[in-house]
């Protein structure tokens, strides 16, 4: 994707018009790309693809089956209508978006409110030289504006305009006399092809895709997969029986199939990583970060550094074998687009040293490398083991009742769970300084979760009945933009006095400092 320097969009903003009349947009207001109706139509038809294909393939030629095509025609007219009635322009320190002709709407979006600019290019977008643009804010369920689609040069120019005007608005808020100079973009991280392949090896995206495929096939035909496995089993066991395989032969065949399945899943994960992370580049321009990635489809998203709410370092078992880590962040953007288009990955995969350098560069006052970690009391390990013990006993009892001696496998399973719980407790720790609060955990898969104290939304102390019995408490630290899939920013099993002292210290610090988004 070309850099923002290619932009050709020029605007001369006029002052915002107050009063009841709608704001005046600059005369050089712009339309969408002439082929935008096609992309709007394809997006609307996406949910009707399966019924339409079924109609065309399995239809019996009855004229009544053609009635749904009238709906397609209506969608075509609506897409063309949007092209002719959609306008956007600049007025003062805001972007104005006009929609409709008979029923008109004018949306005024201050540049300072726009927290994230996301550009997306599918393969079809790249063929037409266009891009889809979404302007997102910290709150709300939907983007502030969605432009489907703009010329690529106009999309990049709009991104640059939002970035520069947003910086100017932020400077004006603190009383600066003029607009800041445009900083040069510097590359903080770039993933070569080998790193993208490593990312595929450490991820489980292939398993997710296979699971989704199995679920989809089960919806089409519930007996399709069982019949397939039964037929496959008949062929394998028939082949094994004809060659007089013994127990060792069956075990070797099963192990070979398992290795083959794992290899195919990893290969699929590598292919998915190439599609999504090829050419991954993290750049910094002033206080704004921009990520660009993708092989066929290209994603380009940017957000201000001050919108980063929390950080997560992750290191799985395969990561450690390859001496790599992943660095993710939570940003305050529209919830609907957090998972796909928000700036969430600063380093999908990188060396521990590279991750530490990124943290030190973006959080220079936090002293991440010099954190003094305070361990959680190890004698609470049994509380990590306790929740899973009833399930192991139930499964072992059912297995013993149904399969006899196989139920005894619950005994080593219990021993392993207790050992794993103790290892988790030994690694659990937290760290607090004037700028940062951090928590670490995990054993085979390790993680570090941390946030600037200024970004904390709430600090709460909870004491369960078991906590009161053990003289402990849990400290919860809430931030904006947190995902439920990641580790929580909480400190568990602290002695009550220590937890209350830490709670009071953090609460007092937050009360003295203004909340930053």
């Amino acid at each position: 994707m070309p850099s923002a320097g290619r932009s050709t969009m020029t605007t001369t903003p006029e002052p915002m018009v107050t009063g009841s009349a709608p704001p005046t947009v600059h005369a050089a207001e712009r339309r969408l790309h002439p082929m935008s109706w096609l992309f709007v139509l394809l997006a609307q038809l996406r949910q009707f693809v399966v019924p339409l294909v079924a109609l065309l393939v399995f239809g019996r030629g009855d004229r009544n089956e053609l009635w749904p095509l009238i709906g397609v025609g209506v969608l075509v007219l609506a897409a063309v209508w949007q092209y002719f009635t959609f306008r956007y322009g600049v007025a003062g320190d805001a972007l104005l978006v006009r929609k409709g002709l008979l029923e008109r709407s004018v949306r005024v979006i201050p540049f300072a409110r726009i927290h994230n600019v996301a550009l997306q290019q599918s393969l079809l977008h790249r063929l037409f030289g266009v891009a889809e643009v979404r302007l997102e804010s910290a709150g709300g369920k939907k983007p502030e504006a969605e432009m489907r689609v703009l010329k690529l040069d106009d999309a990049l120019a709009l991104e640059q305009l939002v970035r520069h005007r947003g910086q100017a608005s932020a400077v004006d808020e603190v009383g600066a006399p003029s607009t800041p100079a445009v900083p040069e973009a510097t590359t903080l991280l770039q993933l070569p092809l080998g790193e993208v392949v490593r990312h595929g090896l450490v991820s489980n995206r292939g398993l997710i895709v296979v699971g989704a495929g199995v679920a989809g096939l089960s919806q089409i035909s519930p007996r399709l997969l069982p019949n397939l496995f039964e037929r496959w089993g008949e062929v394998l066991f028939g082949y094994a029986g004809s060659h007089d395989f013994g127990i060792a032969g069956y075990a070797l065949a099963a192990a070979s199939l398992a290795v083959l399945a794992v290899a195919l899943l990893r290969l699929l994960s590598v292919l998915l990583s190439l599609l999504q992370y090829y050419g991954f580049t993290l750049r910094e321009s002033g206080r704004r970060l921009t990520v660009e990635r993708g092989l066929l489809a290209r994603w380009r998203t940017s957000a201000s550094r001050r919108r980063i709410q929390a950080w997560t370092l992750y290191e799985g078992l395969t990561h450690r074998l390859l001496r790599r880590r992943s660095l993710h962040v939570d940003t305050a953007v529209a919830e609907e687009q957090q998972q796909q288009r928000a700036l969430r990955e600063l380093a999908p995969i990188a060396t521990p040293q590279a991750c530490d350098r990124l943290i030190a560069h973006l959080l220079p006052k936090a002293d991440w490398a010099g954190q003094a970690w305070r361990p959680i009391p190890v004698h609470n390990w049994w509380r990590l083991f306790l929740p899973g013990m009833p399930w192991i006993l139930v499964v072992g009892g059912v297995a013993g009742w149904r399969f006899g001696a196989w139920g005894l496998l619950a005994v080593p399973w219990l021993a392993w769970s207790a050992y794993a719980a103790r290892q988790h407790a030994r690694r659990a720790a937290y760290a607090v300084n004037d700028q940062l609060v951090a928590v670490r955990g995990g054993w085979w898969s390790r993680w570090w979760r941390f946030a600037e104290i200024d970004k904390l939304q709430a600090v709460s102390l909870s004491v369960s009945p078991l906590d009161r019995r053990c003289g402990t408490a849990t400290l919860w630290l809430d931030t904006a933009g947190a995902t439920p899939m990641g580790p929580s920013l909480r400190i568990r099993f602290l002695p009550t006095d220590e937890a209350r002292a830490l709670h009071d210290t953090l609460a007092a610090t937050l009360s003295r400092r203004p909340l930053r988004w």
Side-chain angles (χ1 to χ4, degrees):
M1 182 181 291
S3 64
R6 285 186 51 191
S7 58
T8 59
M9 179 179 179
T10 57
T11 55
T12 305
E14 295 179 359
M16 293 288 291
V17 179
T18 58
S20 59
T24 301
V25 182
H26 187 266
E29 62 181 11
R30 292 181 174 271
R31 289 183 176 181
L32 301 174
H33 188 272
M35 294 301 296
S36 62
W37 65 271
L38 175 62
F39 294 91
V40 174
L41 176 63
L42 292 176
Q44 293 173 341
L45 288 178
R46 190 176 302 166
Q47 55 185 330
F48 303 110
V49 168
V50 175
L52 288 176
V53 171
L55 176 65
L56 294 176
V57 175
F58 302 106
R60 294 172 295 179
D62 191 347
R63 291 184 178 180
N64 293 329
E65 295 177 347
L66 299 179
W67 282 107
L69 297 180
I70 297 178
V72 176
V74 172
L75 294 178
V76 172
L77 293 177
V80 175
W81 182 263
Q82 177 174 333
Y83 165 71
F84 282 107
T85 58
F86 188 97
R87 300 286 190 280
Y88 72 95
V90 177
D93 293 329
L95 182 73
L96 269 66
V97 177
R98 294 183 182 270
K99 297 180 181 179
L101 182 61
L102 301 179
E103 183 179 351
R104 298 181 179 179
S105 66
V106 179
R107 186 171 180 82
V108 182
I109 310 170
F111 288 113
R113 180 179 173 83
I114 302 173
H115 296 170
N116 184 46
V117 182
L119 272 67
Q120 179 182 357
Q121 278 190 298
S122 66
L123 184 58
L124 187 61
H125 285 98
R126 299 179 71 180
L127 291 176
F128 280 90
V130 297
E132 179 181 332
V133 181
R134 290 175 181 248
L135 306 177
E136 299 166 349
S137 65
K141 300 292 185 180
K142 296 182 178 180
E144 292 288 337
E146 184 176 4
M147 301 176 184
R148 186 186 293 159
V149 292
L150 301 180
K151 294 179 182 178
L152 181 57
D153 287 342
D154 286 349
L156 293 172
L158 180 60
E159 179 195 41
Q160 187 179 28
L161 178 66
V162 170
R163 180 170 66 246
H164 295 164
R165 292 295 182 87
Q167 291 176 353
S169 300
V171 173
D172 290 341
E173 289 178 359
V174 296
S178 60
T179 301
V182 179
E184 292 291 336
T186 57
T187 300
L188 300 182
L189 180 68
Q190 192 167 19
L191 297 186
L193 181 60
E195 291 296 325
V196 179
V197 172
R198 290 185 181 92
H199 180 271
L201 294 176
V202 303
S203 67
N204 293 318
R205 297 175 183 270
L207 183 60
I208 296 174
V209 172
V210 170
V214 170
L217 291 176
S218 300
Q219 294 296 324
I220 297 175
S221 175
R223 287 297 306 170
L224 179 61
L225 289 175
N227 291 339
L228 179 61
F229 281 112
E230 288 174 6
R231 180 58 181 167
W232 191 26
E234 291 174 0
V235 173
L236 291 178
F237 284 107
Y239 177 82
S242 64
H243 288 76
D244 298 325
F245 277 17
I247 296 178
Y250 278 110
L252 181 61
S256 301
L257 288 176
V259 171
L260 179 60
V262 171
L264 291 177
L265 288 175
R266 291 302 178 185
L267 179 59
L268 180 57
S269 296
V270 170
L271 293 177
L272 292 174
S273 291
L274 288 173
L275 289 175
Q276 296 183 8
Y277 294 97
Y278 179 82
F280 181 95
T281 305
L282 172 66
R283 294 188 179 92
E284 180 185 35
S285 178
R287 293 190 59 81
R288 199 167 191 87
L289 300 176
T290 301
V291 166
E292 187 176 344
R293 61 182 175 88
L295 181 60
L296 300 179
R298 297 289 290 176
W299 285 270
R300 179 186 175 97
T301 183
S302 65
S304 173
R305 283 169 50 178
R306 61 193 179 98
R307 307 303 176 193
I308 297 177
Q309 305 298 307
W311 308 64
T312 303
L313 262 176
Y314 179 77
E315 183 184 76
L317 179 61
T318 314
H319 283 85
R320 292 206 300 278
L321 294 176
L322 297 176
R323 299 180 181 179
R324 294 296 186 273
R325 288 178 181 171
S326 299
L327 178 59
H328 296 185
V329 293
D330 298 336
T331 54
V333 297
E335 295 180 6
E336 179 184 315
Q337 301 302 327
Q338 275 191 355
Q339 297 300 324
Q340 182 177 2
R341 292 183 174 88
L343 182 63
R344 301 195 65 84
E345 295 173 304
L346 297 186
I349 189 169
T351 63
Q353 296 78 12
C355 292
D356 290 343
R357 284 195 298 269
L358 270 178
I359 298 172
H361 176 78
L362 298 175
L363 297 175
K365 299 180 180 179
D367 189 22
W368 170 250
Q371 293 294 319
W373 293 97
R374 304 177 187 178
I376 305 298
V378 181
H379 64 264
N380 287 300
W381 67 268
W382 62 272
R383 297 179 62 179
L384 298 174
F385 168 69
L386 187 63
M389 184 176 64
W391 296 104
I392 298 175
L393 294 177
V394 169
V395 172
V398 172
W401 171 75
R402 182 66 177 82
F403 302 106
W406 288 103
L408 295 176
L409 291 177
V411 175
W413 190 2
L414 278 172
W416 170 258
S417 298
Y419 177 75
R422 186 172 181 84
Q423 294 302 316
H424 279 278
R426 290 182 62 182
R427 280 210 77 254
Y430 73 97
V432 180
N433 60 22
D434 293 338
Q435 300 289 329
L436 205 69
V437 56
V439 181
R440 76 181 187 193
W443 174 39
W444 278 27
S445 296
R446 302 174 180 179
W447 52 266
W448 295 258
R449 177 94 169 152
F450 53 98
E452 296 175 87
I453 295 179
D454 287 351
K455 302 296 180 66
L456 297 180
Q457 302 290 305
V459 180
S460 60
L461 192 68
S462 65
V463 181
S464 67
L466 187 57
D467 280 321
R468 286 196 294 271
R469 178 73 175 175
C470 299
T472 60
T474 298
L475 190 65
W476 291 86
L477 310 169
D478 295 330
T479 58
T483 171
M485 302 302 293
S488 301
L489 190 59
R490 63 176 177 176
I491 308 175
R492 305 174 66 185
F493 311 145
L494 276 181
T496 304
D497 294 340
E498 185 178 351
R500 293 188 184 279
L502 182 57
H503 173 271
D504 295 342
T505 300
L506 292 176
T509 303
L510 288 178
S511 66
R512 292 195 301 267
R513 296 184 180 181
L515 183 64
R516 298 188 305 170
W517 285 90

